[in-house]
């Protein structure tokens, strides 16, 4: 299990846990990022900036602080 920040580009996995309060969970659910969803990391900038992920065929940008709290079980 790794955080979304630690995933490699084009790596896919399942969201296992969100380490945050109700506000963070609600915000991520609005972006369709929730526990049990398949997620693919598409891009990120080194040391800063948002992380772009693909969920249900849609691209979503997530801030680095939020991404650190999203725990993913990586495929393979």
């Amino acid at each position: 299990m790794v955080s979304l920040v630690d995933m490699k580009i084009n790596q896919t996995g399942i969201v296992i846990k969100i380490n945050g309060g109700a506000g963070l969970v609600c915000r991520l659910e609005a972006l369709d990022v929730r526990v049990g969803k398949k997620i693919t990391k598409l891009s990120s900038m080194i040391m800063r900036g948002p992380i772009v992920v693909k969920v249900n065929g849609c691209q979503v940008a997530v801030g680095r602080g939020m991404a650190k709290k999203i725990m993913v079980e990586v495929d393979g």
Side-chain angles (χ1 to χ4, degrees):
M1 196 164 61
V2 298
S3 73
L4 186 57
V5 172
D6 297 327
M7 286 177 68
K8 296 176 183 168
I9 303 300
N10 294 321
Q11 201 168 30
T12 302
I14 304 292
V15 177
I16 297 297
K17 183 172 151 184
I18 297 174
N19 296 324
L24 175 64
V25 172
C26 185
R27 172 72 178 126
L28 289 171
E29 283 183 353
L31 297 173
D32 210 20
V33 177
R34 57 188 71 171
V35 173
K37 286 284 189 169
K38 188 172 186 175
I39 192 168
T40 304
K41 183 174 179 178
L42 297 178
S43 68
S44 67
M45 295 191 166
I46 298 172
M47 300 298 290
R48 51 178 252 185
I51 294 172
V52 179
V53 296
K54 183 176 176 183
V55 181
N56 286 344
C58 296
Q59 292 184 12
V60 177
V62 179
R64 189 164 293 274
M66 284 183 173
K68 286 180 183 178
K69 298 178 181 180
I70 301 170
M71 304 307 292
V72 179
E73 185 175 319
V74 179
D75 292 344

